[in-house]
Amino acid sequence: MLENRKWVIIGIFCLVGLTYLARLFYLQVLDDTYSLGASKNSIKRVVEIPYRGQIYDRNNHLIVYNTPVYDLYVTPKQVRIPDTSAFCRMMNISVSDFDSIMGLAKNYSPVKPSLFLRQLSKEDFARIQDALVDYRGFEPVISSMRTYPAHTLSNALGYVSEISKKQLENQDILYYRQGDYIGHNGLEEQYEEQLRGKRGVKFMMQNVRGVNKGSWKNGAFDTLAVAGQNLITGIDVEVQRYADSLMQNKVGAVLAIEPATGEILVSVSAPTYDPNLLSSRFFSKNYRALIKNPYKPLINRPVMASYRPGSTFKLIQALIAQQQGSLFPNTVYGHAGSPMRCHCRGGNSLRGAVQNSCNPYFYYVFRKFLYFNGENNTFKASAIGLKQWHDMAEKFGMGSKLGIDLPSELKGNLPTPEYYDKAYRGALRWKFSNVYSLSIGEGELLISPLKLANLAATIANRGWYITPHYIKGFGKPGVGLSAEYRERHETGIDYKYYLPVIDGMRGAVAHGTVTPLANIAGIDLCGKTGTSQNNKFGHKFDHSIFIGFAPMNDPKIAVAVFVENAGWGGKAAASVAALVAERYLKRKTEAKKLEEQVLASNYLPPVNGLPGYKKPAPAAPKKDTVPQKAAPAPKPLMTDTKTKPVVAAVISGN
């Protein structure tokens, strides 16, 4: 009995021993869990930042590429610095800068790495690489810096900079760390997810001094970084740079669109800046300088500026009135009885009114449109008519965001009856005589250059448009292009009603309100001039506007140009537009005399001691200006916080 009990006890001990041995074998040989945990002191997790996608123009010319650089990260709890002064001398920073950076890093996290010094060139990193072994807690990470070989398109491209604290805290999916770079504004922000790529992770062995000893477990747990997708845009960088040169010493915008596709060919915001200024270690210094510049170069005027459209809006008046049935191509109006003066002789038909930009003609067109509803009460008729006017004009993209692929588009203002009810403190307290300035694109109308370029494209297409966009595809044309940038938007205006308007636009360039030199042979430019009222104190001239397309019967380019403080639309803006269209269609400039005039012109207003305004030489009579006895705007319009119609010049950065 005792002998049996002895073997039972021995068996139990053996079983327990075998169990422990099996467990130890599993933990030490089969399971890596504790091995990984025990390796934290000797294995370093290195995050690999992928290269951002490059950006190309429509002809495969490089607009943005990446230059390899090194970012230096610090983990405060691990920092060991024997001599702070020597370390600062090596890094070319002051001791106070060192203290400030380390304070920010400790506030973020004592145990997590954060950015210490960014964008070290290969030469700078080679100089400090060996010495870093003596300073624990610092870790270099290969990164890249955006480089802009064309030195253009800065406002549309945006820039890449360090992620803000607010963006870091508001992440839906935790991806970014403090010190990471992210796209801000423009295309860099709009297509951040596609351009940034996918991060990789490498596990590296290191000794007690922090020296790398190779990949851990031959990279079995590593993941490769995936580069961002290359973005192909519709921009023609050659024409873009040419348009930049034409807008030197001017404030304004140039936007050109390919009518058939909605692709943006040219996008100029003037004055602008070299995008390389915001892609260096001196970002903060350069950004502050741009912020302080009184000409506001950081504003992307093609989509963010708001102007009164002036006489260019007469094109919409002519189209919707024909569709309504209140206007015909052979309708003739004189000047008698109109409060608006005009430099043409009067007695125009529709074609002549567009060609000569006749103010009284469109005064009567707009009046008949508002009252063309059978209502005898003029107050009620005006409200009914304005509602119809708003709904029809809205189909041209006015009064709402078009949906361009930029994060900063403004919708502008297209007044509704409710807008005036609020302004006049009640319904049926206003009528046509209070709002007739809308007939010639003045009053409370506000639009961006983008809207007018889209209007030119719509007329070029005889009644439809595709939402303007910069993207042509990812990797190759058409790939990744959203469905909204393929969809046609119809205006609801019959094809036949565009024909007399287009005839008038061609006449305006050939022998109408446009300076003769802008009628460049071989491009058949059709256009409409405009002069936008500028009420800002101290400005001597209104804003010059031109929209058009070419060629007349096979449109390849639609363009809108705004030149602030330049006066008559048929001179400054029309000249720039004609030269841009010629360069795109012919790939060269033959109108040398016109080019010389544009390059020599200076319309910069004097601001805070900067170079003064040079008054333009006398030009032909301003056929599209707006001297009028318009009813004064009621006070509520001056302080409306939603649309602020009277501060167009301020919004536009003037």
Side-chain angles (χ1 to χ4, degrees):
M1 189 70 177
L2 290 173
E3 188 70 20
N4 292 338
R5 195 175 294 174
K6 180 180 75 171
W7 290 111
V8 170
I9 293 172
I10 292 173
I12 292 172
F13 274 102
C14 290
L15 182 62
V16 171
L18 288 172
T19 303
Y20 273 106
L21 287 172
R23 182 62 177 166
L24 286 171
F25 178 80
Y26 174 77
L27 292 176
Q28 294 182 16
V29 178
L30 301 180
D31 187 11
D32 281 334
T33 302
Y34 290 93
S35 176
L36 288 170
S39 300
K40 287 184 178 178
N41 295 325
S42 60
I43 296 176
K44 181 171 63 174
R45 183 177 182 270
V46 179
V47 176
E48 288 193 319
I49 306 296
Y51 282 117
R52 284 182 77 85
Q54 300 183 139
I55 302 179
Y56 295 83
D57 84 337
R58 67 190 300 108
N59 298 313
N60 210 34
H61 294 142
L62 198 57
I63 300 176
V64 186
Y65 69 90
N66 304 294
T67 299
V69 292
Y70 291 85
D71 293 336
L72 192 61
Y73 282 80
V74 61
T75 305
K77 195 170 182 179
Q78 298 176 8
V79 168
R80 300 290 184 271
I81 301 180
D83 187 342
T84 302
S85 297
F87 178 80
C88 291
R89 284 194 298 272
M90 182 180 72
M91 293 294 180
N92 284 328
I93 60 174
S94 66
V95 175
S96 61
D97 286 340
F98 172 82
D99 292 336
S100 176
I101 296 170
M102 288 301 296
L104 291 172
K106 289 175 182 176
N107 287 337
Y108 168 65
S109 173
V111 296
K112 293 181 180 179
S114 60
L115 187 66
F116 180 81
L117 205 59
R118 66 180 180 182
Q119 294 179 340
L120 293 169
S121 66
K122 289 186 290 186
E123 294 75 18
D124 288 337
F125 180 69
R127 180 175 55 83
I128 68 172
Q129 184 176 13
D130 292 337
L132 274 179
V133 174
D134 298 324
Y135 300 98
R136 294 190 61 184
F138 293 91
E139 138 186 29
V141 176
I142 296 177
S143 183
S144 61
M145 181 177 71
R146 296 299 250 179
T147 305
Y148 305 86
H151 305 278
T152 188
L153 206 66
S154 54
N155 300 87
L157 289 172
Y159 55 90
V160 176
S161 67
E162 188 175 341
I163 189 169
S164 68
K165 183 178 179 181
K166 184 177 180 181
Q167 289 174 312
L168 204 60
E169 294 171 349
N170 293 339
Q171 294 183 79
D172 293 329
I173 300 174
L174 294 179
Y175 178 84
Y176 300 99
R177 307 168 300 167
Q178 183 173 353
D180 283 347
Y181 300 115
I182 189 172
H184 291 274
N185 299 330
L187 297 175
E188 293 280 16
E189 179 179 332
Q190 184 74 22
Y191 295 113
E192 165 68 15
E193 188 173 340
Q194 293 88 346
L195 289 170
R196 75 186 182 191
K198 186 178 179 181
R199 286 179 176 161
V201 177
K202 291 179 70 175
F203 294 94
M204 305 295 295
M205 293 187 297
Q206 60 183 12
N207 63 17
V208 291
R209 293 176 58 83
V211 177
N212 286 339
K213 292 297 182 179
S215 179
W216 183 63
K217 292 213 170 184
N218 295 319
F221 295 92
D222 295 352
T223 56
L224 295 176
V226 179
Q229 300 178 60
N230 292 333
L231 172 63
I232 301 175
T233 70
I235 293 291
D236 188 318
V237 76
E238 179 194 336
V239 184
Q240 170 75 26
R241 295 179 68 179
Y242 180 66
D244 277 338
S245 70
L246 298 177
M247 291 298 287
Q248 291 294 313
N249 297 316
K250 301 171 185 67
V251 178
V254 180
L255 197 77
I257 298 172
E258 184 177 57
T261 63
E263 292 173 6
I264 293 175
L265 304 169
V266 173
S267 180
V268 174
S269 180
T272 188
Y273 60 93
D274 187 340
N276 290 293
L277 288 174
L278 299 184
S279 182
S280 72
R281 291 172 58 186
F282 308 104
F283 171 88
S284 297
K285 177 184 175 181
N286 293 334
Y287 188 81
R288 284 194 298 269
L290 291 171
I291 283 285
K292 292 178 181 178
N293 188 314
Y295 294 121
K296 305 186 186 303
L298 288 173
I299 291 178
N300 188 13
R301 287 177 170 84
V303 297
M304 295 176 68
S306 293
Y307 304 91
R308 296 183 177 98
S311 293
T312 59
F313 202 79
K314 293 172 182 175
L315 300 174
I316 290 182
Q317 305 283 33
L319 291 167
I320 64 176
Q322 287 184 91
Q323 186 68 38
Q324 185 197 45
S326 59
L327 176 67
F328 301 93
N330 59 356
T331 300
V332 175
Y333 287 119
H335 290 180
S338 169
M340 298 180 178
R341 296 193 300 274
C342 187
H343 292 278
C344 74
R345 299 175 182 176
N348 290 296
S349 64
L350 177 56
R351 288 177 175 83
V354 172
Q355 173 181 316
N356 298 310
S357 195
C358 181
N359 291 331
Y361 188 95
F362 287 96
Y363 168 87
Y364 287 116
V365 168
F366 186 55
R367 186 179 72 169
K368 189 169 184 180
F369 186 100
L370 291 195
Y371 292 153
F372 196 72
N373 49 48
E375 176 59 58
N376 294 324
N377 183 309
T378 56
F379 291 95
K380 291 183 180 179
S382 296
I384 295 171
L386 190 70
K387 177 66 168 63
Q388 185 181 12
W389 172 86
H390 174 276
D391 292 347
M392 295 182 77
E394 192 175 38
K395 291 183 179 179
F396 287 84
M398 303 297 167
S400 59
K401 292 183 179 182
L402 284 173
I404 189 173
D405 50 345
L406 287 181
S408 52
E409 182 187 358
L410 299 181
K411 70 175 186 177
N413 187 47
L414 184 66
T416 62
E418 293 74 22
Y419 179 90
Y420 288 113
D421 289 346
K422 180 179 178 181
Y424 286 90
R425 297 183 176 88
L428 304 182
R429 300 184 67 177
W430 57 272
K431 57 181 178 177
F432 167 77
S433 60
N434 301 108
V435 301
Y436 68 80
S437 59
L438 296 176
S439 65
I440 53 171
E442 296 294 343
E444 293 72 46
L445 274 170
L446 283 180
I447 60 162
S448 64
L450 169 67
K451 299 287 182 63
L452 281 191
N454 189 61
L455 172 61
T458 303
I459 297 174
N461 290 330
R462 278 66 168 173
W464 58 271
Y465 69 89
I466 293 175
T467 301
H469 53 280
Y470 289 89
I471 183 176
K472 194 176 180 72
F474 285 107
K476 61 181 181 179
V479 176
L481 186 64
S482 173
E484 65 181 307
Y485 299 137
R486 304 175 189 268
E487 179 186 358
R488 282 176 47 153
H489 300 273
E490 303 289 342
T491 60
I493 307 297
D494 292 347
Y495 178 93
K496 62 183 179 181
Y497 296 134
Y498 285 90
L499 304 183
V501 171
I502 292 171
D503 286 345
M505 293 173 71
R506 178 65 193 133
V509 176
H511 38 74
T513 56
V514 174
T515 181
L517 287 176
N519 184 27
I520 299 173
I523 66 172
D524 288 334
L525 179 64
C526 301
K528 181 70 191 76
T529 57
T531 307
S532 176
Q533 288 184 348
N534 174 21
N535 298 331
K536 189 177 180 183
F537 177 77
H539 287 184
K540 301 179 182 180
F541 292 94
D542 294 331
H543 303 320
S544 176
I545 310 174
F546 179 87
I547 70 169
F549 61 88
M552 178 179 180
N553 294 316
D554 185 21
K556 302 296 184 185
I557 181 173
V559 61
V561 177
F562 282 72
V563 183
E564 296 186 15
N565 316 299
W568 178 42
K571 178 70 173 177
S575 299
V576 172
L579 288 168
V580 169
E582 181 194 33
R583 176 60 69 94
Y584 179 71
L585 294 171
K586 295 182 177 180
R587 312 311 296 179
K588 60 182 178 179
T589 299
E590 296 175 349
K592 295 297 183 181
K593 186 175 180 181
L594 180 63
E595 182 184 54
E596 289 173 6
Q597 289 182 2
V598 172
L599 292 174
S601 61
N602 183 343
Y603 298 110
L604 284 177
V607 180
N608 297 345
L610 291 177
Y613 181 94
K614 294 182 181 179
K615 185 176 180 179
K622 301 179 182 180
K623 298 179 182 179
D624 61 342
T625 52
V626 194
Q628 55 175 295
K629 298 178 182 178
K635 287 186 177 180
L637 294 181
M638 302 291 288
T639 56
D640 184 77
T641 57
K642 293 184 178 178
T643 55
K644 298 186 179 179
V646 297
V647 294
V650 176
I651 297 172
S652 66
N654 192 18

